[in-house]
């Protein structure tokens, strides 16, 4: 009879916490991962270790006996591993991240150079795309996504600005010719530059909000580009006077500062939460990923 050490750790975490959700919160694993590990351990031992109800999780007599013997033993194992880990002051190896193009452009430039300077033995690979993929199936260690696109059973930590806005803008020349909209509904009379996601959906309607009033408009225009990879083309077209653009404020900020683009309808711009770094809820996080997680947290604390 052979039990996996990670399954034993999962059982101890759940038994001590008195539930899968609380154990997941404390251990940094996901509730589904812990549930599957305990199920696997019970099948291997051929005995029920936990009695589960909708309100509580308690050890059986066999489970309590196992917990009493396992607790001290696992503490010793962790202490022994900590001794080994102290010999590895500089994490090394490969780290592969799957991120949207917007994050590669707007979030990572402030993090990647100092991270690689701090960890010269880590090789970082960034896979930038807009399609919604399973990061593990794609061979990545972690990913960056916005809140509404986070995968379940993942650990997520904030990365980059905590709030962003969608900005609407056009060149001063375009606005001089066609007028400056004062209300979002007036966009229907303008040439607007749209995007299309990898799924085929357009980046419309454009949504605005002010003093509790929410306005959604479905503009039309002469240009549609693939979100992410071709967004710069849309920005260039807006600068050239082709039409009105609506994208991340940070993407347009340099052009606001230079005067190439003029913000419009700014009191109506919607704010949304910033992106998250997410990764599988497992106990043994690879050293390069752990180093990046700690670096991101430290950077947030300094901000």
């Amino acid at each position: 009879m052979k039990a996996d050490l990670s399954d034993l750790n999962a059982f101890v975490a759940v038994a001590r916490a008195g539930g899968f959700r609380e154990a997941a919160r404390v251990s940094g694993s996901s509730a589904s991962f812990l549930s599957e590990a305990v199920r696997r351990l019970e099948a291997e031992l051929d005995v029920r270790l936990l009695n589960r109800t909708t309100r509580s999780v308690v050890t059986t007599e066999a489970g309590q006996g196992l917990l009493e013997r396992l607790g001290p033993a696992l503490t010793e194992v962790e202490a022994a591993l900590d001794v080994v880990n102290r010999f590895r002051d500089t994490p090394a190896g490969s780290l592969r991240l799957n991120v949207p193009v917007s994050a590669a452009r707007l979030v990572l430039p402030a993090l990647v150079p100092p991270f690689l300077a701090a960890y010269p033995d880590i090789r970082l690979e960034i896979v930038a795309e807009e399609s919604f993929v399973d990061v593990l199936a794609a061979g990545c260690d972690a990913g960056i996504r916005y809140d509404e696109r986070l995968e379940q059973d993942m650990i997520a930590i904030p990365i980059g600005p905590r709030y962003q806005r969608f900005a609407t803008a056009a060149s001063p020349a375009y606005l001089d010719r066609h007028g400056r909209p004062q209300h979002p509904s007036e966009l229907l009379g303008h040439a607007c530059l749209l995007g299309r996601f990898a799924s085929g959906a357009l980046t419309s309607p454009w949504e605005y909000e002010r003093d509790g009033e929410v306005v959604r408009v479905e503009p039309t225009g002469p240009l549609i580009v693939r979100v992410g990879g071709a967004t710069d083309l849309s920005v260039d077209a807006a600068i050239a006077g082709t039409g009105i653009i609506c994208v991340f404020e940070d993407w347009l900020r340099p052009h606001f500062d230079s005067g190439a683009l003029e913000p419009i309808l700014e009191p109506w711009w919607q704010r949304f939460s910033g992106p998250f770094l997410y990764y599988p809820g497992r106990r043994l996080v690879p050293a390069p990923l752990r180093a990046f997680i700690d670096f991101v947290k430290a950077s947030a604390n300094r901000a």
Side-chain angles (χ1 to χ4, degrees):
M1 187 175 297
K2 182 180 179 182
D4 187 273
L5 182 60
S6 65
D7 292 349
L8 293 171
N9 270 309
F11 162 70
V12 171
V14 174
R16 285 175 171 171
F20 290 95
R21 290 187 179 276
E22 179 62 17
R25 186 188 67 79
V26 172
S27 67
S29 298
S30 68
S32 62
F33 173 85
L34 294 173
S35 178
E36 177 61 21
V38 172
R39 184 202 63 76
R40 201 165 44 237
L41 180 61
E42 289 179 327
E44 181 65 35
L45 299 176
D46 196 23
V47 63
R48 179 176 289 276
L49 301 173
L50 298 173
N51 284 322
R52 307 158 176 83
T53 70
T54 57
R55 294 186 177 181
S56 65
V57 175
V58 296
T59 55
T60 63
E61 184 177 357
Q64 186 61 32
L66 180 61
L67 177 63
E68 291 173 357
R69 298 297 297 271
L70 269 181
L74 290 178
T75 299
E76 283 300 312
V77 170
E78 290 179 356
L81 291 175
D82 285 341
V83 171
V84 174
N85 288 336
R86 283 198 291 270
F87 285 94
R88 188 171 189 177
D89 295 328
T90 306
S94 297
L95 173 60
R96 198 164 188 254
L97 303 179
N98 182 281
V99 307
V101 173
S102 58
R105 168 115 185 210
L106 306 176
V107 175
L108 292 182
L111 293 171
V112 168
F115 172 73
L116 293 178
Y119 298 98
D121 294 327
I122 291 179
R123 180 175 180 267
L124 178 63
E125 180 178 354
I126 304 296
V127 180
E129 58 185 350
E130 291 302 321
S131 56
F132 188 46
V133 301
D134 183 328
V135 291
L136 297 183
C140 296
D141 299 291
I144 296 177
R145 289 290 182 270
Y146 288 86
D147 193 21
E148 74 277 7
R149 305 185 79 185
L150 285 174
E151 296 180 32
Q152 294 182 345
D153 299 326
M154 290 282 184
I155 306 299
I157 64 169
I159 183 172
R162 291 326 312 134
Y163 293 100
Q164 297 179 329
R165 294 192 300 177
F166 284 118
T168 309
S171 71
Y174 174 90
L175 296 172
D176 288 343
R177 291 196 309 270
H178 301 284
R180 289 165 171 79
Q182 300 301 309
H183 189 276
S185 62
E186 296 176 28
L187 292 172
L188 296 176
H190 285 267
C192 294
L193 312 178
L194 305 178
R196 190 182 298 278
F197 294 106
S199 65
L202 287 172
T203 55
S204 66
W206 293 357
E207 187 169 301
Y208 299 87
E209 183 176 3
R210 183 181 185 182
D211 299 331
E213 180 186 1
V214 177
V215 179
R216 297 178 180 87
V217 296
E218 296 200 19
T220 60
L223 179 66
I224 299 174
V225 302
R226 175 61 63 91
V227 170
T231 298
D232 277 334
L233 174 60
S234 186
V235 174
D236 290 341
I239 292 172
T242 306
I244 295 176
I245 190 171
C246 181
V247 297
F248 290 103
E249 179 183 4
D250 289 346
W251 206 308
L252 300 181
R253 178 55 56 190
H255 306 297
F256 292 159
D257 295 340
S258 70
L261 288 176
E262 179 181 326
I264 58 174
L265 300 172
E266 186 168 359
W268 291 87
W269 293 356
Q270 279 201 329
R271 191 172 77 161
F272 57 95
S273 62
F276 293 83
L277 173 71
Y278 73 105
Y279 55 96
R282 58 193 182 197
R283 184 176 178 81
L284 298 177
V285 176
L289 177 55
R290 172 52 61 192
F292 188 68
I293 292 168
D294 292 341
F295 188 86
V296 168
K297 290 180 177 178
S299 299
N301 291 334
R302 289 193 296 267

